[in-house]
Amino acid sequence: MINAQKLDAELKNAGIQISGCNTNGKVWDVGNNEIQSRADVAAVIAAHNPEDTPVTEITFSLPIVAPDFITMTPEINADPELALEEAIAEMEKGEGKPKSIALIALSLAKYLKSKKDKIK
Amino acid sequence: LTTQNGIYVKTGATTRRYLGTFYTTSTTTTEDSSTKRHLWNYYNRRPTYAFCGDPTNNWTYTTATWRAANNNTTVGEGRVECVIGIADKWTYIRTHASCANTTPAVVSSGVGIDSTSVNSSQMMGQANLRDYGVADGNCASVLAAGFHYLQMLEISQAVGTTTWYGDSNVSYFQAGLFAELEK
């Protein structure tokens, strides 16, 4: 049994120039000639394990604590009311969707500052 | 062939009316099947089709050069055969391919008319393939009189690794080539 995608990578990692291979065990050189019987190719096929390399999955039982940093400051709406709307929209994005905490925090800060200035 | 009073007849024996053409698979045999349409009538033609599908689970090919899909030129798997008596109708040929690449790539399947390296599809391909996609090919051609093979082709931008699926090892998926013909 051949895992074509994995074998393709294994052959290329072995320095063998190929145009592809299939699950029947055929391997083609760049001119599309069959080369599965060639000694170096046959050796890679013989060592081939069709099982995909397992991906390690880790489940964190505690919250992940990261340093407080912002890699790119998002552009905040100049209008405090619209900035608030954008913060709410960002906050209410569906479960599992990526949210910009920076956009929420900075937009909210802009809105609160405008209210503070008004009170003064 | 020649014509007499607008009727196709045999050159040099004009009492013989042309009825059709067939292509032999051996000295005494011809064939009309879904992979070998070797029989063609001039009169009372009926619509028919030819189909081939690769039974290979999947394969890789990531080269920006047209080639036979899965490098497979077997009749019934990578190609179909047909014979045309008189070149007077459009033939429509479609290919269906499903493929994957973890890097965005432009890929396509195509139709080779008597060729494993020249694509004749006018409309084809999948741009920005990411993960899984469909890369069909569509071809319209007036096939010349005589024998032809219609070959499924493939091509992929040379980025990442493109995996192509034949039957994906299930009964409810099949890549292949389909031609609308007459007989």
PDB file of all heavy atoms in Angstrom, chain A residues 2-5 8-9 12 18-24 26 28 30 32-34, chain B residues 54 56-63 66-67 70-71 100-102 160-161 163 165:
ATOM      1  N   ILE A   2       0.499   2.196  -0.833  1.00  0.00           N
ATOM      2  CA  ILE A   2       1.304   3.409  -0.986  1.00  0.00           C
ATOM      3  C   ILE A   2       0.475   4.638  -0.602  1.00  0.00           C
ATOM      4  O   ILE A   2      -0.682   4.768  -1.013  1.00  0.00           O
ATOM      5  CB  ILE A   2       1.772   3.565  -2.455  1.00  0.00           C
ATOM      6  CG1 ILE A   2       2.631   2.370  -2.903  1.00  0.00           C
ATOM      7  CG2 ILE A   2       2.497   4.893  -2.662  1.00  0.00           C
ATOM      8  CD1 ILE A   2       4.004   2.313  -2.296  1.00  0.00           C
ATOM      9  N   ASN A   3       1.067   5.502   0.164  1.00  0.00           N
ATOM     10  CA  ASN A   3       0.505   6.827   0.431  1.00  0.00           C
ATOM     11  C   ASN A   3       1.238   7.762  -0.531  1.00  0.00           C
ATOM     12  O   ASN A   3       2.391   8.141  -0.294  1.00  0.00           O
ATOM     13  CB  ASN A   3       0.763   7.205   1.891  1.00  0.00           C
ATOM     14  CG  ASN A   3       0.230   8.574   2.236  1.00  0.00           C
ATOM     15  OD1 ASN A   3       0.140   9.451   1.385  1.00  0.00           O
ATOM     16  ND2 ASN A   3      -0.113   8.772   3.501  1.00  0.00           N
ATOM     17  N   ALA A   4       0.576   8.090  -1.646  1.00  0.00           N
ATOM     18  CA  ALA A   4       1.259   8.787  -2.749  1.00  0.00           C
ATOM     19  C   ALA A   4       1.857  10.128  -2.317  1.00  0.00           C
ATOM     20  O   ALA A   4       2.994  10.456  -2.678  1.00  0.00           O
ATOM     21  CB  ALA A   4       0.295   8.988  -3.909  1.00  0.00           C
ATOM     22  N   GLN A   5       1.106  10.871  -1.555  1.00  0.00           N
ATOM     23  CA  GLN A   5       1.579  12.192  -1.138  1.00  0.00           C
ATOM     24  C   GLN A   5       2.821  12.072  -0.246  1.00  0.00           C
ATOM     25  O   GLN A   5       3.787  12.824  -0.388  1.00  0.00           O
ATOM     26  CB  GLN A   5       0.465  12.927  -0.410  1.00  0.00           C
ATOM     27  CG  GLN A   5       0.688  14.430  -0.363  1.00  0.00           C
ATOM     28  CD  GLN A   5      -0.541  15.170   0.124  1.00  0.00           C
ATOM     29  OE1 GLN A   5      -1.552  14.555   0.455  1.00  0.00           O
ATOM     30  NE2 GLN A   5      -0.466  16.481   0.178  1.00  0.00           N
ATOM     31  N   ASP A   8       5.812  10.764  -2.305  1.00  0.00           N
ATOM     32  CA  ASP A   8       6.324  11.868  -3.137  1.00  0.00           C
ATOM     33  C   ASP A   8       7.357  12.671  -2.344  1.00  0.00           C
ATOM     34  O   ASP A   8       8.471  12.948  -2.820  1.00  0.00           O
ATOM     35  CB  ASP A   8       5.137  12.750  -3.565  1.00  0.00           C
ATOM     36  CG  ASP A   8       5.531  13.850  -4.534  1.00  0.00           C
ATOM     37  OD1 ASP A   8       6.249  14.783  -4.108  1.00  0.00           O
ATOM     38  OD2 ASP A   8       5.138  13.794  -5.713  1.00  0.00           O
ATOM     39  N   ALA A   9       6.990  12.999  -1.098  1.00  0.00           N
ATOM     40  CA  ALA A   9       7.899  13.783  -0.247  1.00  0.00           C
ATOM     41  C   ALA A   9       9.143  12.976   0.116  1.00  0.00           C
ATOM     42  O   ALA A   9      10.267  13.504   0.119  1.00  0.00           O
ATOM     43  CB  ALA A   9       7.163  14.222   1.016  1.00  0.00           C
ATOM     44  N   LYS A  12      11.546  12.864  -2.855  1.00  0.00           N
ATOM     45  CA  LYS A  12      12.201  14.170  -3.047  1.00  0.00           C
ATOM     46  C   LYS A  12      13.223  14.430  -1.938  1.00  0.00           C
ATOM     47  O   LYS A  12      14.301  14.968  -2.201  1.00  0.00           O
ATOM     48  CB  LYS A  12      11.149  15.280  -3.113  1.00  0.00           C
ATOM     49  CG  LYS A  12      10.375  15.280  -4.428  1.00  0.00           C
ATOM     50  CD  LYS A  12       9.215  16.256  -4.419  1.00  0.00           C
ATOM     51  CE  LYS A  12       8.465  16.210  -5.739  1.00  0.00           C
ATOM     52  NZ  LYS A  12       7.178  16.932  -5.690  1.00  0.00           N
ATOM     53  N   ILE A  18      11.647  13.570  -9.330  1.00  0.00           N
ATOM     54  CA  ILE A  18      10.457  12.880  -9.860  1.00  0.00           C
ATOM     55  C   ILE A  18       9.424  13.915 -10.302  1.00  0.00           C
ATOM     56  O   ILE A  18       9.451  15.071  -9.863  1.00  0.00           O
ATOM     57  CB  ILE A  18       9.819  11.958  -8.799  1.00  0.00           C
ATOM     58  CG1 ILE A  18       9.381  12.779  -7.554  1.00  0.00           C
ATOM     59  CG2 ILE A  18      10.761  10.834  -8.404  1.00  0.00           C
ATOM     60  CD1 ILE A  18       8.390  12.069  -6.681  1.00  0.00           C
ATOM     61  N   SER A  19       8.504  13.464 -11.171  1.00  0.00           N
ATOM     62  CA  SER A  19       7.363  14.331 -11.490  1.00  0.00           C
ATOM     63  C   SER A  19       6.147  13.882 -10.689  1.00  0.00           C
ATOM     64  O   SER A  19       5.186  14.633 -10.567  1.00  0.00           O
ATOM     65  CB  SER A  19       7.062  14.307 -12.987  1.00  0.00           C
ATOM     66  OG  SER A  19       6.598  13.037 -13.380  1.00  0.00           O
ATOM     67  N   GLY A  20       6.177  12.665 -10.143  1.00  0.00           N
ATOM     68  CA  GLY A  20       5.068  12.212  -9.307  1.00  0.00           C
ATOM     69  C   GLY A  20       5.099  10.718  -9.090  1.00  0.00           C
ATOM     70  O   GLY A  20       6.013  10.017  -9.536  1.00  0.00           O
ATOM     71  N   CYS A  21       4.069  10.232  -8.372  1.00  0.00           N
ATOM     72  CA  CYS A  21       3.939   8.798  -8.119  1.00  0.00           C
ATOM     73  C   CYS A  21       2.473   8.516  -7.848  1.00  0.00           C
ATOM     74  O   CYS A  21       1.688   9.440  -7.648  1.00  0.00           O
ATOM     75  CB  CYS A  21       4.788   8.395  -6.907  1.00  0.00           C
ATOM     76  SG  CYS A  21       4.352   9.246  -5.381  1.00  0.00           S
ATOM     77  N   ASN A  22       2.087   7.236  -7.830  1.00  0.00           N
ATOM     78  CA  ASN A  22       0.688   6.930  -7.541  1.00  0.00           C
ATOM     79  C   ASN A  22       0.546   5.802  -6.511  1.00  0.00           C
ATOM     80  O   ASN A  22       1.538   5.201  -6.094  1.00  0.00           O
ATOM     81  CB  ASN A  22      -0.122   6.649  -8.820  1.00  0.00           C
ATOM     82  CG  ASN A  22       0.209   5.325  -9.480  1.00  0.00           C
ATOM     83  OD1 ASN A  22       0.803   4.448  -8.878  1.00  0.00           O
ATOM     84  ND2 ASN A  22      -0.193   5.186 -10.737  1.00  0.00           N
ATOM     85  N   THR A  23      -0.705   5.566  -6.129  1.00  0.00           N
ATOM     86  CA  THR A  23      -0.971   4.593  -5.068  1.00  0.00           C
ATOM     87  C   THR A  23      -0.748   3.157  -5.541  1.00  0.00           C
ATOM     88  O   THR A  23      -0.792   2.231  -4.735  1.00  0.00           O
ATOM     89  CB  THR A  23      -2.411   4.748  -4.543  1.00  0.00           C
ATOM     90  OG1 THR A  23      -3.302   4.800  -5.664  1.00  0.00           O
ATOM     91  CG2 THR A  23      -2.566   5.993  -3.712  1.00  0.00           C
ATOM     92  N   ASN A  24      -0.537   2.969  -6.834  1.00  0.00           N
ATOM     93  CA  ASN A  24      -0.211   1.631  -7.355  1.00  0.00           C
ATOM     94  C   ASN A  24       1.286   1.359  -7.294  1.00  0.00           C
ATOM     95  O   ASN A  24       1.737   0.288  -7.700  1.00  0.00           O
ATOM     96  CB  ASN A  24      -0.693   1.483  -8.800  1.00  0.00           C
ATOM     97  CG  ASN A  24      -2.202   1.600  -8.906  1.00  0.00           C
ATOM     98  OD1 ASN A  24      -2.913   1.334  -7.952  1.00  0.00           O
ATOM     99  ND2 ASN A  24      -2.684   2.013 -10.058  1.00  0.00           N
ATOM    100  N   LYS A  26       3.654   3.266  -8.877  1.00  0.00           N
ATOM    101  CA  LYS A  26       4.403   3.785 -10.023  1.00  0.00           C
ATOM    102  C   LYS A  26       5.055   5.111  -9.648  1.00  0.00           C
ATOM    103  O   LYS A  26       4.445   5.932  -8.961  1.00  0.00           O
ATOM    104  CB  LYS A  26       3.481   3.983 -11.228  1.00  0.00           C
ATOM    105  CG  LYS A  26       3.053   2.675 -11.869  1.00  0.00           C
ATOM    106  CD  LYS A  26       2.234   2.910 -13.119  1.00  0.00           C
ATOM    107  CE  LYS A  26       1.849   1.577 -13.751  1.00  0.00           C
ATOM    108  NZ  LYS A  26       0.961   1.739 -14.900  1.00  0.00           N
ATOM    109  N   TRP A  28       7.396   8.312 -11.508  1.00  0.00           N
ATOM    110  CA  TRP A  28       7.837   8.850 -12.792  1.00  0.00           C
ATOM    111  C   TRP A  28       8.961   9.849 -12.591  1.00  0.00           C
ATOM    112  O   TRP A  28       8.923  10.668 -11.657  1.00  0.00           O
ATOM    113  CB  TRP A  28       6.679   9.545 -13.510  1.00  0.00           C
ATOM    114  CG  TRP A  28       5.460   8.692 -13.630  1.00  0.00           C
ATOM    115  CD1 TRP A  28       5.271   7.623 -14.452  1.00  0.00           C
ATOM    116  CD2 TRP A  28       4.238   8.816 -12.871  1.00  0.00           C
ATOM    117  NE1 TRP A  28       4.018   7.085 -14.264  1.00  0.00           N
ATOM    118  CE2 TRP A  28       3.367   7.790 -13.314  1.00  0.00           C
ATOM    119  CE3 TRP A  28       3.792   9.691 -11.875  1.00  0.00           C
ATOM    120  CZ2 TRP A  28       2.084   7.622 -12.785  1.00  0.00           C
ATOM    121  CZ3 TRP A  28       2.526   9.528 -11.366  1.00  0.00           C
ATOM    122  CH2 TRP A  28       1.681   8.496 -11.816  1.00  0.00           C
ATOM    123  N   VAL A  30      11.238  13.118 -14.268  1.00  0.00           N
ATOM    124  CA  VAL A  30      10.739  14.385 -14.808  1.00  0.00           C
ATOM    125  C   VAL A  30      10.314  14.253 -16.273  1.00  0.00           C
ATOM    126  O   VAL A  30       9.600  15.107 -16.797  1.00  0.00           O
ATOM    127  CB  VAL A  30      11.785  15.510 -14.644  1.00  0.00           C
ATOM    128  CG1 VAL A  30      11.934  15.890 -13.185  1.00  0.00           C
ATOM    129  CG2 VAL A  30      13.129  15.090 -15.229  1.00  0.00           C
ATOM    130  N   ASN A  32       8.501  11.705 -17.187  1.00  0.00           N
ATOM    131  CA  ASN A  32       7.342  10.813 -17.074  1.00  0.00           C
ATOM    132  C   ASN A  32       7.651   9.364 -17.447  1.00  0.00           C
ATOM    133  O   ASN A  32       6.760   8.619 -17.848  1.00  0.00           O
ATOM    134  CB  ASN A  32       6.152  11.341 -17.888  1.00  0.00           C
ATOM    135  CG  ASN A  32       5.527  12.542 -17.223  1.00  0.00           C
ATOM    136  OD1 ASN A  32       5.368  12.570 -16.006  1.00  0.00           O
ATOM    137  ND2 ASN A  32       5.199  13.548 -18.014  1.00  0.00           N
ATOM    138  N   ASN A  33       8.907   8.976 -17.315  1.00  0.00           N
ATOM    139  CA  ASN A  33       9.265   7.568 -17.489  1.00  0.00           C
ATOM    140  C   ASN A  33       9.135   6.860 -16.140  1.00  0.00           C
ATOM    141  O   ASN A  33       9.455   7.454 -15.102  1.00  0.00           O
ATOM    142  CB  ASN A  33      10.717   7.449 -17.987  1.00  0.00           C
ATOM    143  CG  ASN A  33      10.942   8.243 -19.251  1.00  0.00           C
ATOM    144  OD1 ASN A  33      10.315   7.989 -20.274  1.00  0.00           O
ATOM    145  ND2 ASN A  33      11.825   9.246 -19.181  1.00  0.00           N
ATOM    146  N   GLU A  34       8.673   5.616 -16.169  1.00  0.00           N
ATOM    147  CA  GLU A  34       8.510   4.871 -14.918  1.00  0.00           C
ATOM    148  C   GLU A  34       9.881   4.454 -14.369  1.00  0.00           C
ATOM    149  O   GLU A  34      10.695   3.867 -15.091  1.00  0.00           O
ATOM    150  CB  GLU A  34       7.650   3.629 -15.156  1.00  0.00           C
ATOM    151  CG  GLU A  34       6.191   3.973 -15.393  1.00  0.00           C
ATOM    152  CD  GLU A  34       5.300   2.745 -15.500  1.00  0.00           C
ATOM    153  OE1 GLU A  34       5.691   1.684 -14.976  1.00  0.00           O
ATOM    154  OE2 GLU A  34       4.233   2.858 -16.103  1.00  0.00           O
TER     155      GLU A  34
ATOM    156  N   ASP B  54     -10.179   6.653 -14.310  1.00  0.00           N
ATOM    157  CA  ASP B  54      -8.981   5.997 -13.776  1.00  0.00           C
ATOM    158  C   ASP B  54      -9.311   5.306 -12.452  1.00  0.00           C
ATOM    159  O   ASP B  54      -9.795   5.951 -11.520  1.00  0.00           O
ATOM    160  CB  ASP B  54      -7.873   7.035 -13.570  1.00  0.00           C
ATOM    161  CG  ASP B  54      -6.510   6.376 -13.440  1.00  0.00           C
ATOM    162  OD1 ASP B  54      -6.394   5.416 -12.652  1.00  0.00           O
ATOM    163  OD2 ASP B  54      -5.579   6.806 -14.126  1.00  0.00           O
ATOM    164  N   THR B  56      -7.278   4.220 -10.282  1.00  0.00           N
ATOM    165  CA  THR B  56      -6.241   4.431  -9.264  1.00  0.00           C
ATOM    166  C   THR B  56      -6.806   5.315  -8.154  1.00  0.00           C
ATOM    167  O   THR B  56      -7.536   6.273  -8.428  1.00  0.00           O
ATOM    168  CB  THR B  56      -5.011   5.121  -9.901  1.00  0.00           C
ATOM    169  OG1 THR B  56      -4.576   4.343 -11.008  1.00  0.00           O
ATOM    170  CG2 THR B  56      -3.880   5.264  -8.899  1.00  0.00           C
ATOM    171  N   ASN B  57      -6.440   4.986  -6.921  1.00  0.00           N
ATOM    172  CA  ASN B  57      -6.904   5.765  -5.774  1.00  0.00           C
ATOM    173  C   ASN B  57      -6.502   7.239  -5.940  1.00  0.00           C
ATOM    174  O   ASN B  57      -7.348   8.120  -6.088  1.00  0.00           O
ATOM    175  CB  ASN B  57      -6.294   5.177  -4.500  1.00  0.00           C
ATOM    176  CG  ASN B  57      -6.781   5.846  -3.243  1.00  0.00           C
ATOM    177  OD1 ASN B  57      -7.319   6.951  -3.287  1.00  0.00           O
ATOM    178  ND2 ASN B  57      -6.590   5.197  -2.113  1.00  0.00           N
ATOM    179  N   ASN B  58      -5.197   7.517  -5.945  1.00  0.00           N
ATOM    180  CA  ASN B  58      -4.724   8.884  -6.167  1.00  0.00           C
ATOM    181  C   ASN B  58      -3.258   8.865  -6.581  1.00  0.00           C
ATOM    182  O   ASN B  58      -2.598   7.836  -6.505  1.00  0.00           O
ATOM    183  CB  ASN B  58      -4.946   9.776  -4.934  1.00  0.00           C
ATOM    184  CG  ASN B  58      -4.190   9.297  -3.714  1.00  0.00           C
ATOM    185  OD1 ASN B  58      -2.961   9.342  -3.672  1.00  0.00           O
ATOM    186  ND2 ASN B  58      -4.905   8.800  -2.705  1.00  0.00           N
ATOM    187  N   TRP B  59      -2.780  10.029  -7.002  1.00  0.00           N
ATOM    188  CA  TRP B  59      -1.381  10.148  -7.431  1.00  0.00           C
ATOM    189  C   TRP B  59      -0.937  11.601  -7.294  1.00  0.00           C
ATOM    190  O   TRP B  59      -1.777  12.486  -7.082  1.00  0.00           O
ATOM    191  CB  TRP B  59      -1.211   9.677  -8.880  1.00  0.00           C
ATOM    192  CG  TRP B  59      -1.995  10.448  -9.891  1.00  0.00           C
ATOM    193  CD1 TRP B  59      -1.596  11.568 -10.587  1.00  0.00           C
ATOM    194  CD2 TRP B  59      -3.342  10.174 -10.333  1.00  0.00           C
ATOM    195  NE1 TRP B  59      -2.597  11.995 -11.428  1.00  0.00           N
ATOM    196  CE2 TRP B  59      -3.667  11.164 -11.289  1.00  0.00           C
ATOM    197  CE3 TRP B  59      -4.289   9.209 -10.011  1.00  0.00           C
ATOM    198  CZ2 TRP B  59      -4.918  11.202 -11.922  1.00  0.00           C
ATOM    199  CZ3 TRP B  59      -5.533   9.253 -10.637  1.00  0.00           C
ATOM    200  CH2 TRP B  59      -5.826  10.232 -11.583  1.00  0.00           C
ATOM    201  N   THR B  60       0.357  11.828  -7.417  1.00  0.00           N
ATOM    202  CA  THR B  60       0.880  13.187  -7.354  1.00  0.00           C
ATOM    203  C   THR B  60       1.439  13.576  -8.719  1.00  0.00           C
ATOM    204  O   THR B  60       1.992  12.741  -9.435  1.00  0.00           O
ATOM    205  CB  THR B  60       1.998  13.312  -6.303  1.00  0.00           C
ATOM    206  OG1 THR B  60       3.064  12.417  -6.636  1.00  0.00           O
ATOM    207  CG2 THR B  60       1.490  12.990  -4.910  1.00  0.00           C
ATOM    208  N   TYR B  61       1.267  14.823  -9.071  1.00  0.00           N
ATOM    209  CA  TYR B  61       1.884  15.384 -10.286  1.00  0.00           C
ATOM    210  C   TYR B  61       1.820  16.902 -10.133  1.00  0.00           C
ATOM    211  O   TYR B  61       0.741  17.471 -10.010  1.00  0.00           O
ATOM    212  CB  TYR B  61       1.156  14.936 -11.546  1.00  0.00           C
ATOM    213  CG  TYR B  61       1.806  15.473 -12.818  1.00  0.00           C
ATOM    214  CD1 TYR B  61       3.070  15.026 -13.209  1.00  0.00           C
ATOM    215  CD2 TYR B  61       1.169  16.430 -13.610  1.00  0.00           C
ATOM    216  CE1 TYR B  61       3.675  15.515 -14.360  1.00  0.00           C
ATOM    217  CE2 TYR B  61       1.767  16.920 -14.766  1.00  0.00           C
ATOM    218  CZ  TYR B  61       3.020  16.454 -15.138  1.00  0.00           C
ATOM    219  OH  TYR B  61       3.624  16.948 -16.281  1.00  0.00           O
ATOM    220  N   THR B  62       2.977  17.544 -10.106  1.00  0.00           N
ATOM    221  CA  THR B  62       3.037  18.983  -9.809  1.00  0.00           C
ATOM    222  C   THR B  62       3.945  19.666 -10.821  1.00  0.00           C
ATOM    223  O   THR B  62       4.869  20.399 -10.454  1.00  0.00           O
ATOM    224  CB  THR B  62       3.563  19.198  -8.365  1.00  0.00           C
ATOM    225  OG1 THR B  62       3.048  18.173  -7.511  1.00  0.00           O
ATOM    226  CG2 THR B  62       3.133  20.546  -7.813  1.00  0.00           C
ATOM    227  N   THR B  63       3.687  19.422 -12.079  1.00  0.00           N
ATOM    228  CA  THR B  63       4.527  19.963 -13.135  1.00  0.00           C
ATOM    229  C   THR B  63       3.670  20.761 -14.115  1.00  0.00           C
ATOM    230  O   THR B  63       2.574  20.323 -14.483  1.00  0.00           O
ATOM    231  CB  THR B  63       5.248  18.817 -13.883  1.00  0.00           C
ATOM    232  OG1 THR B  63       5.945  18.014 -12.930  1.00  0.00           O
ATOM    233  CG2 THR B  63       6.225  19.363 -14.916  1.00  0.00           C
ATOM    234  N   TRP B  66       1.588  19.724 -19.725  1.00  0.00           N
ATOM    235  CA  TRP B  66       0.488  18.775 -19.926  1.00  0.00           C
ATOM    236  C   TRP B  66       1.032  17.367 -20.106  1.00  0.00           C
ATOM    237  O   TRP B  66       2.017  17.163 -20.817  1.00  0.00           O
ATOM    238  CB  TRP B  66      -0.321  19.154 -21.169  1.00  0.00           C
ATOM    239  CG  TRP B  66      -1.165  20.374 -21.001  1.00  0.00           C
ATOM    240  CD1 TRP B  66      -0.902  21.624 -21.503  1.00  0.00           C
ATOM    241  CD2 TRP B  66      -2.408  20.479 -20.306  1.00  0.00           C
ATOM    242  NE1 TRP B  66      -1.908  22.494 -21.146  1.00  0.00           N
ATOM    243  CE2 TRP B  66      -2.844  21.822 -20.428  1.00  0.00           C
ATOM    244  CE3 TRP B  66      -3.195  19.576 -19.602  1.00  0.00           C
ATOM    245  CZ2 TRP B  66      -4.038  22.270 -19.861  1.00  0.00           C
ATOM    246  CZ3 TRP B  66      -4.394  20.027 -19.030  1.00  0.00           C
ATOM    247  CH2 TRP B  66      -4.797  21.358 -19.164  1.00  0.00           C
ATOM    248  N   ARG B  67       0.366  16.418 -19.449  1.00  0.00           N
ATOM    249  CA  ARG B  67       0.700  15.008 -19.668  1.00  0.00           C
ATOM    250  C   ARG B  67      -0.590  14.189 -19.525  1.00  0.00           C
ATOM    251  O   ARG B  67      -1.627  14.699 -19.066  1.00  0.00           O
ATOM    252  CB  ARG B  67       1.736  14.513 -18.655  1.00  0.00           C
ATOM    253  CG  ARG B  67       1.164  14.290 -17.277  1.00  0.00           C
ATOM    254  CD  ARG B  67       2.015  13.343 -16.438  1.00  0.00           C
ATOM    255  NE  ARG B  67       1.298  12.955 -15.235  1.00  0.00           N
ATOM    256  CZ  ARG B  67       1.732  12.091 -14.344  1.00  0.00           C
ATOM    257  NH1 ARG B  67       2.908  11.518 -14.498  1.00  0.00           N
ATOM    258  NH2 ARG B  67       1.025  11.776 -13.278  1.00  0.00           N
ATOM    259  N   ASN B  70      -2.349  10.803 -14.670  1.00  0.00           N
ATOM    260  CA  ASN B  70      -1.776   9.620 -14.008  1.00  0.00           C
ATOM    261  C   ASN B  70      -0.851   8.866 -14.965  1.00  0.00           C
ATOM    262  O   ASN B  70      -0.616   7.673 -14.777  1.00  0.00           O
ATOM    263  CB  ASN B  70      -2.892   8.706 -13.471  1.00  0.00           C
ATOM    264  CG  ASN B  70      -2.363   7.622 -12.552  1.00  0.00           C
ATOM    265  OD1 ASN B  70      -1.323   7.777 -11.919  1.00  0.00           O
ATOM    266  ND2 ASN B  70      -3.082   6.514 -12.469  1.00  0.00           N
ATOM    267  N   ASN B  71      -0.415   9.554 -16.017  1.00  0.00           N
ATOM    268  CA  ASN B  71       0.453   8.922 -17.033  1.00  0.00           C
ATOM    269  C   ASN B  71      -0.194   7.644 -17.570  1.00  0.00           C
ATOM    270  O   ASN B  71       0.494   6.711 -17.965  1.00  0.00           O
ATOM    271  CB  ASN B  71       1.832   8.603 -16.427  1.00  0.00           C
ATOM    272  CG  ASN B  71       2.943   8.742 -17.448  1.00  0.00           C
ATOM    273  OD1 ASN B  71       2.792   9.407 -18.477  1.00  0.00           O
ATOM    274  ND2 ASN B  71       4.069   8.114 -17.184  1.00  0.00           N
ATOM    275  N   ALA B 100      -5.841  18.250  -4.818  1.00  0.00           N
ATOM    276  CA  ALA B 100      -5.546  18.957  -3.570  1.00  0.00           C
ATOM    277  C   ALA B 100      -4.101  19.425  -3.578  1.00  0.00           C
ATOM    278  O   ALA B 100      -3.234  18.795  -4.174  1.00  0.00           O
ATOM    279  CB  ALA B 100      -5.777  18.030  -2.379  1.00  0.00           C
ATOM    280  N   ASN B 101      -3.873  20.551  -2.932  1.00  0.00           N
ATOM    281  CA  ASN B 101      -2.513  21.050  -2.746  1.00  0.00           C
ATOM    282  C   ASN B 101      -2.531  21.958  -1.529  1.00  0.00           C
ATOM    283  O   ASN B 101      -3.439  22.780  -1.389  1.00  0.00           O
ATOM    284  CB  ASN B 101      -2.048  21.834  -3.982  1.00  0.00           C
ATOM    285  CG  ASN B 101      -0.552  22.097  -3.965  1.00  0.00           C
ATOM    286  OD1 ASN B 101       0.042  22.318  -2.918  1.00  0.00           O
ATOM    287  ND2 ASN B 101       0.058  22.079  -5.136  1.00  0.00           N
ATOM    288  N   THR B 102      -1.577  21.793  -0.641  1.00  0.00           N
ATOM    289  CA  THR B 102      -1.567  22.619   0.571  1.00  0.00           C
ATOM    290  C   THR B 102      -1.077  24.030   0.268  1.00  0.00           C
ATOM    291  O   THR B 102      -1.253  24.937   1.079  1.00  0.00           O
ATOM    292  CB  THR B 102      -0.668  21.993   1.650  1.00  0.00           C
ATOM    293  OG1 THR B 102       0.599  21.711   1.064  1.00  0.00           O
ATOM    294  CG2 THR B 102      -1.271  20.715   2.190  1.00  0.00           C
ATOM    295  N   GLY B 160       4.275  23.446  -4.131  1.00  0.00           N
ATOM    296  CA  GLY B 160       3.778  22.435  -3.191  1.00  0.00           C
ATOM    297  C   GLY B 160       3.727  21.075  -3.859  1.00  0.00           C
ATOM    298  O   GLY B 160       4.564  20.753  -4.712  1.00  0.00           O
ATOM    299  N   THR B 161       2.744  20.281  -3.461  1.00  0.00           N
ATOM    300  CA  THR B 161       2.530  18.972  -4.088  1.00  0.00           C
ATOM    301  C   THR B 161       1.049  18.827  -4.412  1.00  0.00           C
ATOM    302  O   THR B 161       0.208  18.938  -3.527  1.00  0.00           O
ATOM    303  CB  THR B 161       2.958  17.829  -3.141  1.00  0.00           C
ATOM    304  OG1 THR B 161       4.354  17.972  -2.847  1.00  0.00           O
ATOM    305  CG2 THR B 161       2.714  16.471  -3.780  1.00  0.00           C
ATOM    306  N   THR B 163      -1.995  16.550  -5.364  1.00  0.00           N
ATOM    307  CA  THR B 163      -2.488  15.175  -5.361  1.00  0.00           C
ATOM    308  C   THR B 163      -3.769  15.125  -6.189  1.00  0.00           C
ATOM    309  O   THR B 163      -4.667  15.947  -5.994  1.00  0.00           O
ATOM    310  CB  THR B 163      -2.782  14.699  -3.921  1.00  0.00           C
ATOM    311  OG1 THR B 163      -1.577  14.797  -3.149  1.00  0.00           O
ATOM    312  CG2 THR B 163      -3.266  13.255  -3.902  1.00  0.00           C
ATOM    313  N   TYR B 165      -7.014  12.744  -7.657  1.00  0.00           N
ATOM    314  CA  TYR B 165      -7.804  11.597  -7.212  1.00  0.00           C
ATOM    315  C   TYR B 165      -8.463  10.898  -8.403  1.00  0.00           C
ATOM    316  O   TYR B 165      -9.122  11.548  -9.212  1.00  0.00           O
ATOM    317  CB  TYR B 165      -8.860  12.044  -6.197  1.00  0.00           C
ATOM    318  CG  TYR B 165      -8.202  12.554  -4.934  1.00  0.00           C
ATOM    319  CD1 TYR B 165      -7.801  13.887  -4.824  1.00  0.00           C
ATOM    320  CD2 TYR B 165      -7.918  11.688  -3.889  1.00  0.00           C
ATOM    321  CE1 TYR B 165      -7.144  14.349  -3.700  1.00  0.00           C
ATOM    322  CE2 TYR B 165      -7.265  12.147  -2.750  1.00  0.00           C
ATOM    323  CZ  TYR B 165      -6.883  13.473  -2.664  1.00  0.00           C
ATOM    324  OH  TYR B 165      -6.225  13.919  -1.554  1.00  0.00           O
TER     325      TYR B 165
END
